[in-house]
Amino acid sequence: MDEELKKQELADEKLINDAFQHLLDSYLASRHRKKVDIITKAFNFAKQAHKGVRRLSGEPYIMHPIAVAQIACEEVGLGSTSICSALLHDVVEDTDYTVEDIENIFGSKIAQIVDGLTKISGGIFGEQASAQAENFKKLLLTMSDDIRVILIKICDRLHNMRTLQSQPANKQYKIAGETLYIYAPLANRLGLYKIKGELENLSFSYEHPEEYQTIKSKLASTEASRHELFDQFTTPIEESLNKMGIKYKIKERVKSPYSIWNKMQNKHIPFEEVFDILAVRIIFTPERREEEVNECFNIYVAISKIYKSHPDRLRDWLNHPKANGYQALHVTLMSKQGRWIEVQIRSDRMDEVAEQGFAAHWKYKDGVEEEYAEDENELNDWLRTIKEILDDPQPDAMDFLDAIKLNLFASEIFVFTPKGEIKTMPAGCTALDFAFSIHTFLGSHCIGAKVNHKLVPLSHKLQSGDQVEILTSKSQHIQPTWINFVSTAKAKAKIQAILRRKSRESQKKGEELLTEFLKKHEMEYSTNVADQLATFHDLKKRENLLQAVADKTIILGNEDIDELNGKHKSSKSGWRRYVPFIGSGKEKEKETQPQLFVVPEKFNRKKPIYITDENIRQYQFPNCCHPIPGDDILGFIDNKNRIEIHKRACPIADKLKTSYGNRILDAKWKMHKTHFFDATIRLQGIDRMGILVDVSQVITSQMNVNIHRLTIEGNDGMFDGTIELRVHDREDARRIINNLKKIDGVQTVNQIM
């Protein structure tokens, strides 16, 4: 046994030393100053601190900090301070060492970064939503002190995603959901495109393994034809660039499986109809740095002589880089094979910023060059916006995350002030968003705007290049409806903060009225009583109830007292809205309350729950996503310890994975085609006599399925229709769709629910 142990120790030692040597080799090959001694010191310290500890995968724990440091060095391009911080990032949390110990041995800078990483450890999100929101605020605040904290945190998350297979399925969904919701957008906002793409693909592969494998295999089967198209398309471009004497590389860029799947979902199209899978990247080295923008346009002029360019698809991010520092010229050209192909033109410097993110060059790069100074300003602007959102703390974690997400995801437009100053705004923003972006007072008292000298309402959506003048009035005050048409995080946060102030006053009045009402019936006010009445009136929170009582939209009466005394058999909201299926079809469902399954205290959350024909009524099916057998699903334990079933791709489930990860369960179907479920199919095509007869015949005669509702509208020789059916599972729906596609004149068919 001792011999076996010795062998294992020697194997571990070799594994650890090889990984560290690889890290040192990568560091020595970089352009940073060679501070090997401090990195070696951090490695030996961390190795000793984590001695004897193993990860779930079975490997020594120190392999994780080494891997995170390797990503920070090789894939993000960070230097010795970050590498040391990455090696030490779990020491304070997992061992007896303190931040003071780190400071004494490694100095204040490394200690500050390790402290920042410790504050936001354990995944950003704790057990409670409020704790999670607080942790996320800490994450964003530490970013503004030292951007390396978030960069190392992203490296840490990337390694966790790469080794996620050792975790149970419910943890996989939590971590993958959190990654898609927060970390991928953060990586994108910091210009880490490569890492963003890998995080999205890894999350996708765990949440929808079958779809991921299907797209991967389709990409592999079409690889040869893509290469052929690429070669045919780029040969004349290469000849032209060679004549111009430009030093360049041409790369083939293939859309990621996650991006392809996203497009298929959003546009309701099959893989075969995603036409922008292939893009071409031209990366050149300019003779002089100041000539790189001109050189991009010279290349564009040269290639547009070979191929016709799409007039609406020219994207100039050279003169106005994206807020994350991305610079390039994108043009879409028509190939000789009749396919639109996007060409991205950028210099080697722009390419490096695109691959590694300008944050890696920001401030800390040894011998920082002047050309990165602009990037620093861009990043600081973004961090300033984040701090402004943090100034109005949101009590609801979900709202807070949504506000941040608005800022992370938005693509940009450029808008001018009346004095001709340029402001970057998110696409889809309104005149009111623009007013709040300038000043809260301006937004609060905004009555309209002049866009390009024409009068427009507050809700008017701005376009790139618009010149905007905001009109105000002292008598104007914030309206609750404004929240519906602003789209920027800052405007939403400011409006909500002011409305909350007003609403608190209103709720106080509601509480006084409710207390008075209860006193008349010899009852006392408590939060439990308010919660019970909120549920009875189908309201999510007691605050909503108090508001409604104050506004007189709810008039309290005898029914409420009966509810509090337990005389009502069931709440007004009822259970039926949670049930998306209609039973076996052989008998009418009994309208009795089903016994919902309540999760016991010692419930094993790591094991999957199976939904069967017998127990399906024990689970809740909220209206947000209508899962049916065959869909990838998960379970969520609600506040009353009952289980909701959601599609894994459901937007509500995305938030739940991020905010309440410990309540997520792995769920699987075990159905035998005895129940029916609602499915809606949309079809479009060329109108002709008898099309309706053919459609209904395919469904009723061939498929033996009942049509619940069928509507088809003809317009200028085209038709557009929806069919509501009752099917057993996703496979039934797929077969119906495939058969409908065979009908003469039908162009597109897809399931919309």
Side-chain angles (χ1 to χ4, degrees), residues 71-108:
I71 294 167
C73 172
E74 191 177 7
E75 298 181 50
V76 185
L78 297 173
S80 59
T81 304
S82 301
I83 293 168
C84 291
S85 304
L87 287 166
L88 300 165
H89 80 272
D90 279 333
V91 166
V92 173
E93 192 194 356
D94 294 344
T95 73
D96 295 333
Y97 290 104
T98 63
V99 175
E100 286 72 31
D101 296 330
I102 303 287
E103 186 167 2
N104 292 334
I105 303 165
F106 296 99
S108 61

Side-chain angles (χ1 to χ4, degrees), residues 681-740:
I681 288 169
R682 185 180 180 191
L683 64 166
Q684 294 164 299
I686 298 155
D687 203 0
R688 63 170 173 80
M689 289 282 287
I691 191 93
L692 192 58
V693 176
D694 291 352
V695 167
S696 53
Q697 195 160 356
V698 160
I699 295 168
T700 51
S701 309
Q702 292 181 23
M703 311 297 299
N704 197 21
V705 169
N706 276 336
I707 296 176
H708 185 49
R709 184 181 289 128
L710 169 60
T711 55
I712 288 188
E713 284 179 20
N715 188 15
D716 293 337
M718 305 296 288
F719 76 84
D720 191 336
T722 54
I723 313 164
E724 289 177 27
L725 306 165
R726 285 172 177 170
V727 295
H728 290 302
D729 52 27
R730 183 68 62 211
E731 192 47 49
D732 276 4
R734 256 188 226 118
R735 281 199 348 266
I736 291 166
I737 287 169
N738 290 337
N739 281 359
L740 287 171

Side-chain angles (χ1 to χ4, degrees), residues 323-470:
N324 58 18
Y326 180 82
Q327 266 185 300
L329 185 65
H330 289 199
V331 55
T332 303
L333 303 169
M334 176 57 81
S335 70
K336 300 281 191 277
Q337 291 75 28
R339 290 271 295 272
W340 288 110
I341 294 177
E342 185 180 75
V343 179
Q344 302 165 358
I345 306 165
R346 59 203 199 195
S347 69
D348 49 2
R349 181 194 69 84
M350 295 172 191
D351 188 58
E352 189 181 358
V353 171
E355 290 297 309
Q356 293 192 332
F358 72 83
H361 301 287
W362 182 68
K363 266 192 187 173
Y364 310 108
K365 201 141 192 174
D366 301 323
V368 73
E369 296 169 38
E370 278 301 305
E371 64 202 48
Y372 297 121
E374 281 179 37
D375 297 343
E376 185 182 331
N377 295 335
E378 291 280 10
L379 187 60
N380 283 336
D381 281 348
W382 180 54
L383 291 172
R384 207 172 296 117
T385 307
I386 295 288
K387 280 210 160 189
E388 280 178 6
I389 298 167
L390 292 169
D391 286 343
D392 288 311
Q394 302 258 4
D396 190 313
M398 296 290 205
D399 290 350
F400 177 73
L401 282 174
D402 284 347
I404 296 298
K405 243 184 119 155
L406 284 171
N407 252 52
L408 291 175
F409 264 143
S411 52
E412 291 115 1
I413 60 170
F414 301 99
V415 183
F416 295 93
T417 66
K419 290 179 181 173
E421 291 163 17
I422 195 163
K423 276 190 83 74
T424 305
M425 296 291 294
C429 72
T430 61
L432 188 57
D433 286 305
F434 182 75
F436 274 104
S437 77
I438 295 168
H439 199 279
T440 305
F441 180 85
L442 206 64
S444 304
H445 297 283
C446 178
I447 51 168
K450 278 185 180 175
V451 173
N452 307 326
H453 311 292
K454 283 181 191 160
L455 206 59
V456 296
L458 301 177
S459 56
H460 176 82
K461 288 200 173 177
L462 302 177
Q463 304 294 322
S464 214
D466 280 349
Q467 189 167 24
V468 187
E469 181 190 347
I470 298 300

Side-chain angles (χ1 to χ4, degrees), residues 35 228 390 593 660:
K35 297 183 184 173
E228 193 182 331
L390 292 169
Q593 174 121 6
Y660 308 97

Side-chain angles (χ1 to χ4, degrees), residues 214-231:
T214 303
I215 291 173
K216 268 194 83 172
S217 61
K218 283 185 176 177
L219 280 172
S221 67
T222 54
E223 191 176 7
S225 61
R226 263 198 321 277
H227 286 330
E228 193 182 331
L229 177 62
F230 175 78
D231 291 341

